[in-house]
Every structure is written in C-alpha cells, then in structure tokens.
Amino acid sequence: MIQVWNGADRRIYMQEVGTRDGLQVEEAFVPTHDKIALVDALSEAGMAKIEVTAFVSPKAIPALRDAETVLREIKRIPGVIYSTLVPNVRGAERAIDAHADELNLVMSASETHNLANLRMTRAQSFAALSEVSAIAQAAKVSVNISLSCSFGCPMEGDVPDAVALDWCERFVTEIGARGVTLCDTTGMAYPGQVAKLTRAFRERWPESELTLHFHNTRGMGLANVLAGIDAGADRFDASLGGIGGCPYAPGASGNVCSEEIVHALELMGYRTGVDLALLIAASKRLPGLIGHDTPSQIVKAGRRLDLHPVPADFEATRERALARGR
Ligand code: COA
Ligand code: ZN
C-alpha cells in the first residue's frame, strides 16, 4: 500500500524557488552578482528547475528589480530549466527578452486571496493569464500556472478540491499549460488532503507536469511531500535554507527547505540528482547575503552521518569505566 518508505530509485525532480519566493520578502537587497553566483551554485548542485527571479513591478518587489541582469548572466547548464514568475504581459515580454525557458503565471484558487494579492477577481486573472500564455506560446516558451491557496485560504478557510480542480481543468484545456503547480501558499495543507488532491489531478491529467509547492508554516512540509510522492507526484518546489513566503499572506513562513527535502528523500532511496554537499555549501552562503540565519535544520545540525568528535576526556572516561570491572 504505502510505498513512500522505499524510494526504489524513483526519480524526484527538485525545483528551487529560493531566489524568487525566498528573496522577494527579504529586506536586504542581495547584490546582483551574488544572486547570479547563487543561481549558478544551485545549477551546479543539480536542481532540475530553478525559478530564477520574477519580472514584476520593481516598486512592488524592489528585491527583484535586477531580474533582467540575473536571468541574462547566469550560466545555463543544459537540462536545467530556468523559470521565472511573471504577473502580466509586461512581465512576459521582459522575461522572454531575457531568455526565460518557462514562464510561471500565478492566480489564486480563493477569490479573496486573489483580490488581496493580485487586485483582480479570479475571472479577470484567468483572462489575463490566457493573454500572457498566448504571448509565451507564440515565442515557444513553455507555461506553468501556479494555483495559490489550492489547499486552503488564510481568509476564506477550506478551498474545496473541486474548485482547485476546476481551475486546473481550465489551465490544461483552455490555456494548454504544460505544467500546473498546486501551491500551499500559507501552510494549510495536511497529508491526507495532499494525497487526495494529488491523486485526483494525476488521474485526470496524467500527461501534465504536476508540481507541489509547500510552505512549512505549520511543520507539515516534509509530511506533505511524502504524501504527495505516495499519491504520484514527482516534482516539488523548495527553497534553499527554507527561506521565503508570500508578502500578502498573513503569518506566512518559508518554503520547505531544499536541503532538508533532498537529505530525507535520498536516505529513503529516491533519486533527486542533487549533490547534497554542494547544496548545503550554497545554503551556508545565505545568512551572509540576507543578514540573518535561515530555518535550515541541515545547516544547523549537519547531515545524519556528519559525526562529531568524542569528548576530550573520552579516553579517561573509558579507562575509569573499564577499571571498575564488570
Ligand atoms: N514589470 C515592470 N513594471 C511593471 C510590471 C512588470 N511586470 N507590471 C507593472 N509594472 C509597473 C507599471 O509600469 C507601473 O509603473 P509606474 O507606476 O511607474 O507607471 C506600476 O508597475 C503599476 O502598474 P499597474 O499596471 O497599474 O499594475 P498594478 O499596480 O495593478 O500592479 C502587479 C500589479 C501585480 C503587476 C504588481 O503589483 C506586481 O508586480 N506585484 C508583485 C506581485 C508578486 O510578485 N507577488 C508575490 C508572488 S505571489
Ligand atoms: Zn510560495
């Protein structure tokens, strides 16, 4: 029944969102060359996809005002998909110009959250997404649509699965999106719910690229990833150091932490294609860039078998113990 404890070499695609979902909420402006170096380190570490930046209004998100330079100057490793968040036609034109591999468009499954976050009704957002997608598709750039609040809205409460699935239906059939991301924007998802929605999506659209995007707001991040895998998902967003959060979601906290997820999945026998040592080294650069520690437990505690030296008085202790006899 539950296969989740034995990865049996199954491939799981890790998608980094720290340089977008993470840096967008940081007060410190991370210098452009440091952002580029960070993305390059993530590519080297073997992330399957990287959401490099966002082509949004620089007034709304000043932290990402250097989107063009970053996307143009990173090293492109073949096979890695360099994605970017785009809110409107203006953003799409900028992103296509800077050679994005994929545009990630966003709307919310919740009317209230959509109005609060994007200042539009869902119907207006959908019409705008359609227009932006047409521009991307004409430029042969693939389109992913992220559905915020797929597992609940911090203002409305539960979002019925049927509502989330109806929007997915329209993304796949009307827009022809290659991928859909079900986002748990404010950490309301729990494993049973994740399994149910993932299974429903997989049954209806087996050919679509499904990504699950969790925040660790209530400590259920890894449990939700495992439930998603068990239900057939193989792509997960995560952020280096576990940084991040939507600026308009009350009480939001970081994404699930890339190095924590890779560490756990590799131990369980999944194949992520990620070099954990390189990923941890990249994560250790973050505090110097953003001016504070990150939530990463792997940076704090080390990997499971990063052993510690015995205490200085260990030999003396052993001798005393042996001298006492049995
Ligand atoms: N790139 C650059 N500038 C943009 C832009 C884009 N993609 N979209 C809008 N702008 C600029 C406009 O030129 C305008 O600038 P001006 O005041 O100098 O004339 C200003 O932003 C406002 O534009 P407007 O069309 O009135 O949009 P808006 O105020 O309704 O803003 C958003 C809508 C969503 C585009 C903007 O608020 C935004 O980029 N927000 C960020 C959303 C986000 O990233 N959220 C977190 C992820 S969930
Ligand atoms: Zn998010």
Side-chain angles (χ1 to χ4, degrees):
M1 241 209 36
I2 293 193
Q3 297 299 316
V4 80
W5 309 113
N6 176 10
D9 223 23
R10 195 170 132 202
R11 177 75 159 102
I12 301 293
Y13 298 88
M14 293 298 302
Q15 307 184 155
E16 177 63 40
V17 298
T19 48
R20 197 282 299 171
D21 209 347
L23 295 186
Q24 74 183 4
V25 290
E26 294 298 334
E27 269 171 39
F29 178 79
V30 174
T32 307
H33 64 93
D34 286 321
K35 286 187 183 121
I36 294 167
L38 197 59
V39 173
D40 288 347
L42 289 160
S43 293
E44 295 279 336
M47 300 302 280
K49 188 186 278 190
I50 301 172
E51 191 165 284
V52 176
T53 183
F55 287 89
V56 293
S57 156
K59 278 189 204 140
I61 314 268
L64 302 180
R65 61 178 182 262
D66 53 4
E68 267 88 0
T69 313
V70 174
L71 192 58
R72 280 182 186 282
E73 295 190 5
I74 51 171
K75 269 191 231 110
R76 308 273 180 128
I77 293 190
V80 180
I81 295 166
Y82 298 93
S83 183
T84 173
L85 185 130
V86 154
N88 53 17
V89 168
R90 171 90 187 280
E93 288 166 349
R94 290 172 60 205
I96 292 166
D97 236 39
H99 307 298
D101 294 331
E102 176 190 273
L103 304 191
N104 185 23
L105 318 183
V106 186
M107 67 171 276
S108 184
S110 144
E111 187 76 1
T112 310
H113 186 261
N114 204 77
L115 278 162
N117 192 16
L118 300 171
R119 295 187 257 281
M120 285 186 267
T121 65
R122 287 174 298 178
Q124 288 164 340
S125 273
F126 183 81
L129 292 187
S130 307
E131 193 190 349
V132 174
S133 296
I135 291 169
Q137 284 158 347
K140 305 223 177 320
V141 174
S142 46
V143 170
N144 183 81
I145 303 180
S146 284
L147 188 61
S148 303
C149 298
S150 290
F151 300 92
C153 166
M155 292 162 283
E156 284 185 15
D158 273 325
V159 169
D161 285 359
V163 170
L165 291 167
D166 282 350
W167 286 110
C168 293
E169 167 88 37
R170 298 190 65 187
F171 300 157
V172 173
T173 56
E174 291 177 39
I175 292 187
R178 189 171 86 172
V180 174
T181 303
L182 298 174
C183 297
D184 181 26
T185 313
T186 63
M188 294 173 74
Y190 57 94
Q193 177 194 30
V194 169
K196 202 156 142 273
L197 192 55
T198 301
R199 220 166 260 135
F201 186 102
R202 273 268 155 264
E203 276 164 18
R204 282 172 70 172
W205 305 288
E207 305 302 325
S208 294
E209 207 176 89
L210 170 66
T211 297
L212 299 181
H213 174 111
F214 296 120
H215 283 254
N216 209 21
T217 318
R218 295 179 175 82
M220 290 187 280
L222 176 60
N224 286 332
V225 169
L226 296 181
I229 289 177
D230 202 34
D234 60 0
R235 294 184 171 270
F236 295 90
D237 283 350
S239 74
L240 197 65
I243 59 172
C246 175
Y248 308 104
S253 78
N255 296 86
V256 289
C257 169
S258 303
E259 60 269 30
E260 286 178 14
I261 301 297
V262 169
H263 178 262
L265 295 186
E266 291 282 335
L267 284 174
M268 295 169 71
Y270 294 99
R271 207 158 35 82
T272 62
V274 176
D275 181 325
L276 187 56
L278 290 182
L279 194 61
I280 293 170
S283 186
K284 285 182 175 169
R285 296 187 194 182
L286 277 176
L289 298 176
I290 59 180
H292 59 84
D293 280 348
T294 69
S296 172
Q297 282 300 127
I298 298 294
V299 164
K300 289 192 188 80
R303 288 167 291 189
R304 177 173 168 270
L305 289 178
D306 288 344
L307 303 182
H308 301 269
V310 296
D313 61 354
F314 182 78
E315 275 311 317
T317 304
R318 190 217 301 268
E319 272 163 33
R320 267 199 309 278
L322 292 175
R324 282 199 293 270
R326 270 197 294 149

Short mmCIF file of all heavy atoms in Angstrom, two decimals, residues 152-207:
data_model
loop_
_atom_site.label_atom_id
_atom_site.label_comp_id
_atom_site.label_asym_id
_atom_site.label_seq_id
_atom_site.Cartn_x
_atom_site.Cartn_y
_atom_site.Cartn_z
N GLY A 152 -6.21 25.69 0.78
CA GLY A 152 -6.85 26.49 1.82
C GLY A 152 -6.43 27.94 1.69
O GLY A 152 -5.35 28.24 1.19
N CYS A 153 -7.34 28.82 2.13
CA CYS A 153 -7.08 30.27 2.06
C CYS A 153 -7.04 30.82 3.48
O CYS A 153 -7.91 30.50 4.29
CB CYS A 153 -8.20 30.94 1.26
SG CYS A 153 -8.23 32.74 1.45
N PRO A 154 -6.06 31.67 3.78
CA PRO A 154 -5.95 32.19 5.15
C PRO A 154 -7.11 33.11 5.53
O PRO A 154 -7.31 33.39 6.70
CB PRO A 154 -4.62 32.95 5.14
CG PRO A 154 -4.37 33.28 3.71
CD PRO A 154 -4.99 32.18 2.91
N MET A 155 -7.89 33.55 4.53
CA MET A 155 -9.03 34.43 4.85
C MET A 155 -10.36 33.71 4.68
O MET A 155 -11.29 33.95 5.43
CB MET A 155 -8.96 35.68 3.97
CG MET A 155 -7.76 36.54 4.34
SD MET A 155 -7.28 37.75 3.09
CE MET A 155 -6.42 36.73 1.92
N GLU A 156 -10.46 32.80 3.69
CA GLU A 156 -11.73 32.10 3.44
C GLU A 156 -11.84 30.76 4.16
O GLU A 156 -12.92 30.26 4.39
CB GLU A 156 -11.91 31.84 1.93
CG GLU A 156 -12.29 33.07 1.14
CD GLU A 156 -12.57 32.73 -0.32
OE1 GLU A 156 -12.75 31.54 -0.68
OE2 GLU A 156 -12.60 33.68 -1.12
N GLY A 157 -10.70 30.13 4.42
CA GLY A 157 -10.73 28.78 5.01
C GLY A 157 -10.54 27.73 3.95
O GLY A 157 -9.81 27.93 2.97
N ASP A 158 -11.22 26.57 4.12
CA ASP A 158 -11.04 25.47 3.17
C ASP A 158 -11.40 25.88 1.75
O ASP A 158 -12.38 26.60 1.53
CB ASP A 158 -11.92 24.28 3.57
CG ASP A 158 -11.19 23.38 4.58
OD1 ASP A 158 -9.96 23.24 4.47
OD2 ASP A 158 -11.87 22.85 5.47
N VAL A 159 -10.61 25.40 0.81
CA VAL A 159 -10.94 25.55 -0.61
C VAL A 159 -11.31 24.14 -1.09
O VAL A 159 -10.48 23.23 -1.01
CB VAL A 159 -9.74 26.10 -1.40
CG1 VAL A 159 -9.98 26.01 -2.90
CG2 VAL A 159 -9.44 27.54 -0.99
N PRO A 160 -12.56 23.94 -1.53
CA PRO A 160 -12.95 22.58 -1.95
C PRO A 160 -12.04 22.07 -3.08
O PRO A 160 -11.68 22.85 -3.97
CB PRO A 160 -14.39 22.75 -2.44
CG PRO A 160 -14.87 24.03 -1.82
CD PRO A 160 -13.66 24.90 -1.65
N ASP A 161 -11.71 20.78 -3.03
CA ASP A 161 -10.89 20.18 -4.10
C ASP A 161 -11.49 20.50 -5.47
O ASP A 161 -10.76 20.76 -6.44
CB ASP A 161 -10.82 18.66 -3.95
CG ASP A 161 -9.88 18.26 -2.82
OD1 ASP A 161 -9.28 19.16 -2.18
OD2 ASP A 161 -9.74 17.04 -2.57
N ALA A 162 -12.82 20.45 -5.55
CA ALA A 162 -13.48 20.65 -6.85
C ALA A 162 -13.16 22.03 -7.41
O ALA A 162 -13.03 22.20 -8.63
CB ALA A 162 -14.99 20.48 -6.70
N VAL A 163 -13.02 23.02 -6.54
CA VAL A 163 -12.71 24.38 -7.02
C VAL A 163 -11.30 24.40 -7.60
O VAL A 163 -11.07 24.89 -8.72
CB VAL A 163 -12.85 25.41 -5.87
CG1 VAL A 163 -12.30 26.77 -6.28
CG2 VAL A 163 -14.31 25.52 -5.45
N ALA A 164 -10.34 23.84 -6.86
CA ALA A 164 -8.96 23.80 -7.37
C ALA A 164 -8.90 23.02 -8.68
O ALA A 164 -8.27 23.46 -9.66
CB ALA A 164 -8.04 23.17 -6.32
N LEU A 165 -9.59 21.89 -8.73
CA LEU A 165 -9.53 21.05 -9.94
C LEU A 165 -10.21 21.72 -11.13
O LEU A 165 -9.77 21.56 -12.28
CB LEU A 165 -10.14 19.67 -9.66
CG LEU A 165 -9.32 18.80 -8.69
CD1 LEU A 165 -10.13 17.60 -8.21
CD2 LEU A 165 -8.01 18.35 -9.33
N ASP A 166 -11.27 22.49 -10.88
CA ASP A 166 -11.93 23.20 -11.99
C ASP A 166 -10.98 24.21 -12.63
O ASP A 166 -10.94 24.36 -13.85
CB ASP A 166 -13.20 23.92 -11.51
CG ASP A 166 -14.37 22.95 -11.34
OD1 ASP A 166 -14.23 21.79 -11.76
OD2 ASP A 166 -15.40 23.37 -10.77
N TRP A 167 -10.20 24.91 -11.78
CA TRP A 167 -9.22 25.86 -12.35
C TRP A 167 -8.14 25.09 -13.12
O TRP A 167 -7.74 25.50 -14.22
CB TRP A 167 -8.62 26.75 -11.27
CG TRP A 167 -9.60 27.79 -10.80
CD1 TRP A 167 -10.22 27.85 -9.60
CD2 TRP A 167 -10.12 28.89 -11.57
NE1 TRP A 167 -11.09 28.92 -9.55
CE2 TRP A 167 -11.04 29.58 -10.74
CE3 TRP A 167 -9.90 29.37 -12.86
CZ2 TRP A 167 -11.74 30.72 -11.18
CZ3 TRP A 167 -10.59 30.51 -13.31
CH2 TRP A 167 -11.50 31.17 -12.46
N CYS A 168 -7.69 23.96 -12.56
CA CYS A 168 -6.67 23.15 -13.26
C CYS A 168 -7.18 22.73 -14.64
O CYS A 168 -6.47 22.80 -15.64
CB CYS A 168 -6.30 21.91 -12.46
SG CYS A 168 -5.45 22.30 -10.92
N GLU A 169 -8.46 22.32 -14.67
CA GLU A 169 -9.09 21.91 -15.93
C GLU A 169 -8.97 23.03 -16.98
O GLU A 169 -8.61 22.81 -18.13
CB GLU A 169 -10.57 21.60 -15.65
CG GLU A 169 -11.46 21.46 -16.86
CD GLU A 169 -11.48 20.04 -17.39
OE1 GLU A 169 -11.45 19.11 -16.55
OE2 GLU A 169 -11.49 19.86 -18.62
N ARG A 170 -9.25 24.25 -16.52
CA ARG A 170 -9.20 25.37 -17.47
C ARG A 170 -7.75 25.69 -17.87
O ARG A 170 -7.50 26.06 -19.02
CB ARG A 170 -9.87 26.60 -16.85
CG ARG A 170 -11.35 26.34 -16.55
CD ARG A 170 -12.08 27.59 -16.17
NE ARG A 170 -12.15 28.55 -17.26
CZ ARG A 170 -12.62 29.79 -17.14
NH1 ARG A 170 -13.06 30.22 -15.96
NH2 ARG A 170 -12.65 30.60 -18.17
N PHE A 171 -6.80 25.51 -16.95
CA PHE A 171 -5.39 25.76 -17.30
C PHE A 171 -4.93 24.76 -18.37
O PHE A 171 -4.23 25.11 -19.31
CB PHE A 171 -4.46 25.60 -16.09
CG PHE A 171 -4.76 26.53 -14.95
CD1 PHE A 171 -4.35 26.22 -13.65
CD2 PHE A 171 -5.44 27.73 -15.16
CE1 PHE A 171 -4.62 27.08 -12.60
CE2 PHE A 171 -5.71 28.60 -14.10
CZ PHE A 171 -5.30 28.25 -12.82
N VAL A 172 -5.34 23.50 -18.18
CA VAL A 172 -4.85 22.44 -19.07
C VAL A 172 -5.58 22.52 -20.42
O VAL A 172 -4.94 22.51 -21.48
CB VAL A 172 -5.04 21.05 -18.43
CG1 VAL A 172 -4.69 19.95 -19.41
CG2 VAL A 172 -4.17 20.94 -17.17
N THR A 173 -6.91 22.62 -20.38
CA THR A 173 -7.64 22.50 -21.65
C THR A 173 -7.77 23.84 -22.39
O THR A 173 -7.58 23.89 -23.59
CB THR A 173 -9.04 21.88 -21.43
OG1 THR A 173 -9.72 22.69 -20.48
CG2 THR A 173 -8.95 20.47 -20.91
N GLU A 174 -8.07 24.93 -21.67
CA GLU A 174 -8.28 26.20 -22.38
C GLU A 174 -6.97 26.91 -22.68
O GLU A 174 -6.81 27.52 -23.73
CB GLU A 174 -9.18 27.13 -21.56
CG GLU A 174 -10.62 26.63 -21.49
CD GLU A 174 -11.49 27.53 -20.62
OE1 GLU A 174 -11.34 28.76 -20.67
OE2 GLU A 174 -12.33 26.98 -19.88
N ILE A 175 -6.01 26.84 -21.73
CA ILE A 175 -4.76 27.58 -21.93
C ILE A 175 -3.68 26.69 -22.53
O ILE A 175 -2.78 27.16 -23.22
CB ILE A 175 -4.28 28.21 -20.59
CG1 ILE A 175 -5.27 29.30 -20.17
CG2 ILE A 175 -2.87 28.74 -20.69
CD1 ILE A 175 -4.85 30.11 -18.97
N GLY A 176 -3.78 25.38 -22.29
CA GLY A 176 -2.74 24.48 -22.81
C GLY A 176 -1.44 24.60 -22.03
O GLY A 176 -0.34 24.43 -22.59
N ALA A 177 -1.54 24.90 -20.72
CA ALA A 177 -0.33 25.00 -19.89
C ALA A 177 0.38 23.65 -19.85
O ALA A 177 -0.27 22.61 -19.75
CB ALA A 177 -0.70 25.43 -18.48
N ARG A 178 1.71 23.68 -19.92
CA ARG A 178 2.44 22.41 -19.84
C ARG A 178 2.42 21.88 -18.41
O ARG A 178 2.36 20.69 -18.18
CB ARG A 178 3.89 22.59 -20.30
CG ARG A 178 4.57 21.25 -20.40
CD ARG A 178 5.91 21.36 -21.05
NE ARG A 178 6.91 21.70 -20.06
CZ ARG A 178 8.21 21.71 -20.32
NH1 ARG A 178 8.65 21.45 -21.53
NH2 ARG A 178 9.07 22.02 -19.38
N GLY A 179 2.49 22.80 -17.46
CA GLY A 179 2.53 22.37 -16.07
C GLY A 179 1.60 23.17 -15.19
O GLY A 179 1.24 24.31 -15.50
N VAL A 180 1.21 22.54 -14.09
CA VAL A 180 0.40 23.22 -13.07
C VAL A 180 1.07 22.96 -11.72
O VAL A 180 1.53 21.85 -11.45
CB VAL A 180 -1.04 22.66 -13.04
CG1 VAL A 180 -1.83 23.26 -11.88
CG2 VAL A 180 -1.76 22.93 -14.36
N THR A 181 1.14 24.03 -10.91
CA THR A 181 1.67 23.87 -9.56
C THR A 181 0.55 24.11 -8.56
O THR A 181 -0.09 25.17 -8.60
CB THR A 181 2.82 24.88 -9.30
OG1 THR A 181 3.83 24.67 -10.28
CG2 THR A 181 3.41 24.70 -7.92
N LEU A 182 0.32 23.14 -7.71
CA LEU A 182 -0.66 23.32 -6.63
C LEU A 182 0.11 23.88 -5.44
O LEU A 182 1.00 23.22 -4.89
CB LEU A 182 -1.31 21.97 -6.27
CG LEU A 182 -2.12 21.32 -7.40
CD1 LEU A 182 -2.60 19.93 -6.97
CD2 LEU A 182 -3.32 22.20 -7.80
N CYS A 183 -0.21 25.12 -5.07
CA CYS A 183 0.57 25.82 -4.05
C CYS A 183 -0.17 25.84 -2.71
O CYS A 183 -1.34 26.23 -2.65
CB CYS A 183 0.82 27.27 -4.46
SG CYS A 183 1.79 27.43 -5.95
N ASP A 184 0.56 25.48 -1.69
CA ASP A 184 0.06 25.62 -0.33
C ASP A 184 0.67 26.90 0.23
O ASP A 184 1.59 26.87 1.04
CB ASP A 184 0.48 24.40 0.50
CG ASP A 184 -0.05 24.49 1.91
OD1 ASP A 184 -1.08 25.16 2.12
OD2 ASP A 184 0.58 23.89 2.81
N THR A 185 0.12 28.02 -0.22
CA THR A 185 0.74 29.33 -0.02
C THR A 185 1.01 29.64 1.45
O THR A 185 2.03 30.24 1.78
CB THR A 185 -0.20 30.40 -0.63
OG1 THR A 185 -0.57 29.94 -1.92
CG2 THR A 185 0.46 31.74 -0.74
N THR A 186 0.11 29.23 2.33
CA THR A 186 0.28 29.60 3.74
C THR A 186 0.34 28.40 4.68
O THR A 186 0.02 28.50 5.85
CB THR A 186 -0.85 30.55 4.20
OG1 THR A 186 -2.10 29.85 4.09
CG2 THR A 186 -0.91 31.79 3.32
N GLY A 187 0.76 27.26 4.15
CA GLY A 187 1.00 26.12 5.03
C GLY A 187 -0.26 25.54 5.66
O GLY A 187 -0.27 25.17 6.84
N MET A 188 -1.34 25.47 4.90
CA MET A 188 -2.59 24.90 5.44
C MET A 188 -2.79 23.44 5.04
O MET A 188 -3.69 22.76 5.55
CB MET A 188 -3.78 25.73 4.96
CG MET A 188 -3.76 27.15 5.52
SD MET A 188 -5.04 28.22 4.81
CE MET A 188 -6.52 27.59 5.61
N ALA A 189 -1.96 22.94 4.11
CA ALA A 189 -2.14 21.56 3.61
C ALA A 189 -1.76 20.54 4.69
O ALA A 189 -0.89 20.79 5.52
CB ALA A 189 -1.27 21.34 2.38
N TYR A 190 -2.44 19.40 4.65
CA TYR A 190 -2.07 18.28 5.52
C TYR A 190 -2.05 17.02 4.67
O TYR A 190 -2.67 16.97 3.59
CB TYR A 190 -3.00 18.17 6.73
CG TYR A 190 -4.46 18.02 6.37
CD1 TYR A 190 -5.03 16.75 6.27
CD2 TYR A 190 -5.26 19.13 6.12
CE1 TYR A 190 -6.36 16.59 5.93
CE2 TYR A 190 -6.59 18.98 5.77
CZ TYR A 190 -7.14 17.70 5.69
OH TYR A 190 -8.45 17.56 5.34
N PRO A 191 -1.32 15.98 5.14
CA PRO A 191 -1.02 14.86 4.24
C PRO A 191 -2.22 14.18 3.58
O PRO A 191 -2.18 13.90 2.38
CB PRO A 191 -0.25 13.89 5.15
CG PRO A 191 0.44 14.79 6.12
CD PRO A 191 -0.55 15.89 6.40
N GLY A 192 -3.31 13.93 4.32
CA GLY A 192 -4.46 13.24 3.71
C GLY A 192 -5.05 14.04 2.57
O GLY A 192 -5.42 13.51 1.51
N GLN A 193 -5.11 15.35 2.78
CA GLN A 193 -5.65 16.26 1.76
C GLN A 193 -4.73 16.30 0.53
O GLN A 193 -5.20 16.26 -0.61
CB GLN A 193 -5.74 17.65 2.41
CG GLN A 193 -6.21 18.76 1.51
CD GLN A 193 -5.94 20.14 2.14
OE1 GLN A 193 -4.98 20.31 2.89
NE2 GLN A 193 -6.80 21.09 1.83
N VAL A 194 -3.43 16.33 0.79
CA VAL A 194 -2.46 16.35 -0.31
C VAL A 194 -2.61 15.10 -1.17
O VAL A 194 -2.64 15.16 -2.40
CB VAL A 194 -1.01 16.45 0.24
CG1 VAL A 194 0.01 16.21 -0.86
CG2 VAL A 194 -0.79 17.81 0.91
N ALA A 195 -2.70 13.96 -0.49
CA ALA A 195 -2.81 12.69 -1.23
C ALA A 195 -4.06 12.69 -2.11
O ALA A 195 -4.02 12.29 -3.28
CB ALA A 195 -2.86 11.53 -0.24
N LYS A 196 -5.17 13.17 -1.56
CA LYS A 196 -6.45 13.15 -2.28
C LYS A 196 -6.40 14.05 -3.51
O LYS A 196 -6.77 13.64 -4.62
CB LYS A 196 -7.55 13.60 -1.31
CG LYS A 196 -8.93 13.18 -1.67
CD LYS A 196 -9.81 13.15 -0.41
CE LYS A 196 -11.20 13.64 -0.73
NZ LYS A 196 -11.37 15.11 -0.62
N LEU A 197 -5.92 15.27 -3.32
CA LEU A 197 -5.90 16.21 -4.45
C LEU A 197 -4.88 15.78 -5.51
O LEU A 197 -5.13 15.89 -6.72
CB LEU A 197 -5.60 17.63 -3.93
CG LEU A 197 -5.83 18.78 -4.91
CD1 LEU A 197 -7.25 18.78 -5.48
CD2 LEU A 197 -5.56 20.14 -4.22
N THR A 198 -3.73 15.28 -5.05
CA THR A 198 -2.69 14.83 -6.00
C THR A 198 -3.22 13.67 -6.84
O THR A 198 -3.07 13.65 -8.07
CB THR A 198 -1.43 14.38 -5.23
OG1 THR A 198 -0.96 15.48 -4.46
CG2 THR A 198 -0.34 13.91 -6.18
N ARG A 199 -3.85 12.72 -6.18
CA ARG A 199 -4.38 11.54 -6.90
C ARG A 199 -5.43 11.98 -7.93
O ARG A 199 -5.42 11.54 -9.08
CB ARG A 199 -4.99 10.57 -5.89
CG ARG A 199 -4.68 9.13 -6.20
CD ARG A 199 -4.99 8.21 -5.02
NE ARG A 199 -3.80 7.87 -4.28
CZ ARG A 199 -3.69 7.87 -2.97
NH1 ARG A 199 -4.71 8.22 -2.21
NH2 ARG A 199 -2.55 7.52 -2.39
N ALA A 200 -6.30 12.89 -7.50
CA ALA A 200 -7.35 13.37 -8.42
C ALA A 200 -6.74 14.04 -9.64
O ALA A 200 -7.15 13.81 -10.78
CB ALA A 200 -8.29 14.33 -7.68
N PHE A 201 -5.70 14.87 -9.40
CA PHE A 201 -5.05 15.56 -10.52
C PHE A 201 -4.40 14.54 -11.46
O PHE A 201 -4.58 14.59 -12.68
CB PHE A 201 -4.00 16.54 -9.99
CG PHE A 201 -3.39 17.39 -11.09
CD1 PHE A 201 -3.79 18.70 -11.27
CD2 PHE A 201 -2.41 16.86 -11.94
CE1 PHE A 201 -3.24 19.48 -12.29
CE2 PHE A 201 -1.86 17.63 -12.96
CZ PHE A 201 -2.28 18.94 -13.14
N ARG A 202 -3.65 13.62 -10.87
CA ARG A 202 -2.92 12.62 -11.66
C ARG A 202 -3.85 11.76 -12.52
O ARG A 202 -3.55 11.44 -13.65
CB ARG A 202 -2.11 11.72 -10.72
CG ARG A 202 -0.78 12.29 -10.41
CD ARG A 202 0.24 11.77 -11.40
NE ARG A 202 1.36 12.63 -11.57
CZ ARG A 202 1.50 13.55 -12.53
NH1 ARG A 202 0.57 13.73 -13.43
NH2 ARG A 202 2.58 14.27 -12.62
N GLU A 203 -5.03 11.41 -11.93
CA GLU A 203 -5.98 10.59 -12.68
C GLU A 203 -6.54 11.35 -13.87
O GLU A 203 -6.71 10.82 -14.95
CB GLU A 203 -7.12 10.12 -11.78
CG GLU A 203 -6.75 8.86 -11.00
CD GLU A 203 -7.69 8.59 -9.82
OE1 GLU A 203 -8.82 9.14 -9.79
OE2 GLU A 203 -7.26 7.82 -8.94
N ARG A 204 -6.82 12.64 -13.66
CA ARG A 204 -7.46 13.41 -14.73
C ARG A 204 -6.49 13.88 -15.80
O ARG A 204 -6.84 13.96 -16.96
CB ARG A 204 -8.22 14.61 -14.14
CG ARG A 204 -9.55 14.14 -13.55
CD ARG A 204 -10.25 15.20 -12.78
NE ARG A 204 -10.79 16.29 -13.59
CZ ARG A 204 -11.59 17.24 -13.09
NH1 ARG A 204 -11.92 17.19 -11.81
NH2 ARG A 204 -12.04 18.19 -13.85
N TRP A 205 -5.26 14.22 -15.39
CA TRP A 205 -4.30 14.76 -16.37
C TRP A 205 -2.95 14.07 -16.23
O TRP A 205 -1.95 14.68 -15.81
CB TRP A 205 -4.14 16.28 -16.19
CG TRP A 205 -5.45 16.98 -16.28
CD1 TRP A 205 -6.19 17.18 -17.40
CD2 TRP A 205 -6.19 17.54 -15.19
NE1 TRP A 205 -7.36 17.83 -17.08
CE2 TRP A 205 -7.38 18.07 -15.74
CE3 TRP A 205 -5.98 17.64 -13.81
CZ2 TRP A 205 -8.35 18.69 -14.95
CZ3 TRP A 205 -6.93 18.26 -13.04
CH2 TRP A 205 -8.11 18.77 -13.60
N PRO A 206 -2.89 12.79 -16.57
CA PRO A 206 -1.63 12.03 -16.38
C PRO A 206 -0.47 12.60 -17.20
O PRO A 206 0.68 12.41 -16.84
CB PRO A 206 -1.99 10.61 -16.84
CG PRO A 206 -3.27 10.73 -17.59
CD PRO A 206 -3.96 11.96 -17.12
N GLU A 207 -0.77 13.33 -18.27
CA GLU A 207 0.31 13.85 -19.13
C GLU A 207 0.84 15.21 -18.66
O GLU A 207 1.88 15.66 -19.12
CB GLU A 207 -0.18 14.02 -20.58
CG GLU A 207 -0.77 12.76 -21.22
CD GLU A 207 0.22 11.62 -21.23
OE1 GLU A 207 1.43 11.89 -21.39
OE2 GLU A 207 -0.22 10.46 -21.06
#
